[in-house]
Amino acid sequence: MQEHIDRPTLILNAAQSLVQTQGYNAFSYADIAARVGIRKASIHYHYPSKSDLGKALIVRYRTRFRQDLTLIKQERCNAFHKLERYVGLYSTVLQNEHHMCLCGMFAAEMETLPQAMKEEVQGFFAEHVAWLTAVLEEGLRTKTVTYNGSAEAEAQSLLAGLEGAMLVGRSYATASWFEAAAHQMLVRLQASPS
Amino acid sequence: MQEHIDRPTLILNAAQSLVQTQGYNAFSYADIAARVGIRKASIHYHYPSKSDLGKALIVRYRTRFRQDLTLIKQERCNAFHKLERYVGLYSTVLQNEHHMCLCGMFAAEMETLPQAMKEEVQGFFAEHVAWLTAVLEEGLRTKTVTYNGSAEAEAQSLLAGLEGAMLVGRSYATASWFEAAAHQMLVRLQASPS
DNA sequence: GTCTATAAGATGATAGAC
DNA sequence: GTCTATCATCTTATAGAC
């Protein structure tokens, strides 16, 4: 049942895992080569420079996340449940070998990244804030979500909370740190049934 | 009026700024040497290995932050205002050349750090959660702060929100990203006068 | 497409003169 | 304490054989 996975994908998989655990500046082509079982030169054939690889990493990550967001949006469930599902996406990332959000990690290293990568990272966050803002507005209308102030500010606050909870929670061995903080954010947003 | 600042301090200052903007793995002794105007070997005299330097960085950062927390705690103001002051500390760090929280940056790179540094980073966060938990409990008693659930979970959530708001906000050029998210967190915690 | 070989430069770190 | 000089190793990247 073992699927054939092409080289470029295997390289991206290894690279993504390395970025999410150690950061973009902390891994080398040698690390990927060791994990995939090929030579460094072969990686350069598929991704000539490290920034090409980095760019491809974010593009794929954004595409996958965009699909998840679209799926959640289409689900027949209320806005609060959509937020729960959204938080679940982050929980899943973290539970997978204590991975940090790829773009959260890139955000930390932002100043050292080539321009093409910076723009992708900014696009990721802008996209998520826009998605969250829409869901929060829907939640207010349908009275399944509660908050004060603008939906956009609340979206920024929630996104910040989740990225920060991954960041800090990852520095501890216990997985519960993230879960406690994230649960607190969700409960706060839940409208009490009237 | 120019004070004499000793070499070890000048080295720490340069190193701290480099970590807060680029990360621990992205700067080298050569970068510090260029900024301070000395040679690489001189840095090794004061801090033999990079991990010695890293450790000294966190110890100083924790000490300074601890002094700030003690000062805020002693102020004659209500618990909500203490939280405002706490948020102000992060705002100040970020406004200083878009610096990320030193320990937030280290948290991202956690897996690549030597054990001695890891423990310092964990200690930093544990200390802040403990301080926030106490203030949040006081706020609930004195009715200046409002939240549901345990004070500790709320403390984790706030700390995560602030670290995350710095992380994401820093990836944009605009300073307002952090301010909007942080303001949202504060307003949410403020008890309405009865 | 993948390999070996190699380049050119950066990295953390040390020895020893001053 | 700071310097020059040097080290071994690692880094991204390329040339060319297979």
Side-chain angles (χ1 to χ4, degrees):
Chain A
M1 283 299 175
Q2 186 74 0
E3 275 186 60
H4 265 271
I5 306 178
D6 58 32
R7 274 281 138 78
T9 300
L10 285 174
I11 292 168
L12 283 184
N13 291 350
Q16 179 172 338
S17 181
L18 283 162
V19 173
Q20 290 185 284
T21 50
Q22 307 183 4
Y24 181 74
N25 294 311
F27 84 91
S28 71
Y29 272 40
D31 296 321
I32 301 176
R35 290 199 179 194
V36 178
I38 54 177
R39 299 299 178 151
K40 289 188 294 176
S42 307
I43 304 171
H44 281 286
Y45 172 79
H46 297 287
Y47 302 98
S49 77
K50 197 178 178 183
S51 58
D52 292 326
L53 175 56
K55 173 97 186 286
L57 238 31
I58 316 186
V59 168
R60 187 179 73 159
Y61 195 74
R62 284 187 66 179
T63 302
R64 288 180 173 181
F65 237 113
R66 203 176 293 128
Q67 290 169 349
D68 286 336
L69 296 191
T70 302
L71 275 178
I72 295 177
K73 199 148 209 172
Q74 289 170 346
E75 280 182 21
R76 281 203 214 81
C77 63
N78 67 45
F80 178 74
H81 190 62
K82 284 175 186 165
L83 293 179
E84 282 188 312
R85 298 269 285 109
Y86 182 80
V87 172
L89 295 179
Y90 285 79
S91 187
T92 302
V93 169
L94 183 63
Q95 275 168 34
N96 178 24
E97 303 172 57
H98 281 258
H99 279 22
M100 175 65 188
C101 169
L102 184 77
C103 288
M105 188 65 92
F106 280 138
E109 302 176 292
M110 198 74 171
E111 203 162 293
T112 69
L113 302 180
Q115 186 57 29
M117 288 181 64
K118 285 187 191 178
E119 287 166 13
E120 286 293 329
V121 174
Q122 289 176 335
F124 175 87
F125 289 127
E127 215 166 292
H128 280 241
V129 168
W131 187 90
L132 280 171
T133 300
V135 173
L136 286 167
E137 282 171 347
E138 179 198 330
L140 209 58
R141 275 201 313 275
T142 57
K143 296 201 168 75
T144 59
V145 173
T146 180
Y147 56 89
N148 291 309
S150 75
E152 190 182 27
E154 187 64 28
Q156 289 176 320
S157 165
L158 178 57
L159 176 62
L162 291 171
E163 290 288 348
M166 293 188 87
L167 187 74
V168 178
R170 232 171 50 90
S171 72
Y172 288 95
T174 65
S176 63
W177 209 101
F178 172 86
E179 299 301 335
H183 180 259
Q184 192 73 6
M185 297 171 209
L186 273 176
V187 166
R188 173 161 60 214
L189 283 162
Q190 187 165 31
S192 46
S194 58
Chain B
M1 282 300 175
Q2 186 75 359
E3 275 186 60
H4 264 271
I5 306 178
D6 59 30
R7 273 282 139 77
T9 301
L10 285 173
I11 292 168
L12 283 185
N13 291 350
Q16 180 172 337
S17 181
L18 283 162
V19 173
Q20 290 186 285
T21 50
Q22 305 183 8
Y24 181 75
N25 294 311
F27 85 92
S28 71
Y29 272 41
D31 296 322
I32 301 176
R35 290 199 179 194
V36 178
I38 53 176
R39 299 299 178 147
K40 287 192 299 174
S42 307
I43 304 170
H44 281 286
Y45 172 79
H46 297 286
Y47 302 97
S49 76
K50 196 178 178 182
S51 59
D52 291 326
L53 176 56
K55 174 100 186 285
L57 238 31
I58 316 187
V59 168
R60 187 179 72 159
Y61 194 75
R62 285 187 67 178
T63 301
R64 289 180 172 180
F65 238 114
R66 204 177 290 126
Q67 289 169 349
D68 288 335
L69 296 190
T70 303
L71 275 178
I72 295 177
K73 198 147 209 171
Q74 289 170 346
E75 281 182 20
R76 282 202 213 81
C77 63
N78 67 43
F80 177 75
H81 190 63
K82 284 176 186 163
L83 293 179
E84 283 188 311
R85 298 268 286 110
Y86 182 80
V87 172
L89 295 178
Y90 285 78
S91 187
T92 301
V93 169
L94 183 63
Q95 276 167 32
N96 178 24
E97 302 172 56
H98 281 258
H99 278 21
M100 175 66 188
C101 168
L102 183 78
C103 288
M105 188 63 92
F106 280 138
E109 302 176 293
M110 196 75 171
E111 203 163 292
T112 69
L113 302 180
Q115 185 59 27
M117 290 181 62
K118 285 187 191 178
E119 287 166 13
E120 287 292 330
V121 174
Q122 289 176 335
F124 175 86
F125 290 126
E127 217 167 289
H128 280 241
V129 168
W131 187 90
L132 280 171
T133 300
V135 173
L136 285 167
E137 282 170 347
E138 179 199 330
L140 209 59
R141 276 201 312 276
T142 57
K143 297 200 168 78
T144 59
V145 173
T146 181
Y147 57 90
N148 291 307
S150 77
E152 190 182 27
E154 187 63 29
Q156 290 176 320
S157 165
L158 178 57
L159 176 62
L162 292 172
E163 290 288 347
M166 293 187 86
L167 187 75
V168 179
R170 230 171 51 88
S171 71
Y172 287 95
T174 65
S176 62
W177 209 101
F178 172 86
E179 299 301 335
H183 179 258
Q184 191 74 4
M185 296 172 210
L186 273 176
V187 166
R188 173 161 62 217
L189 283 162
Q190 188 166 28
S192 46
S194 59

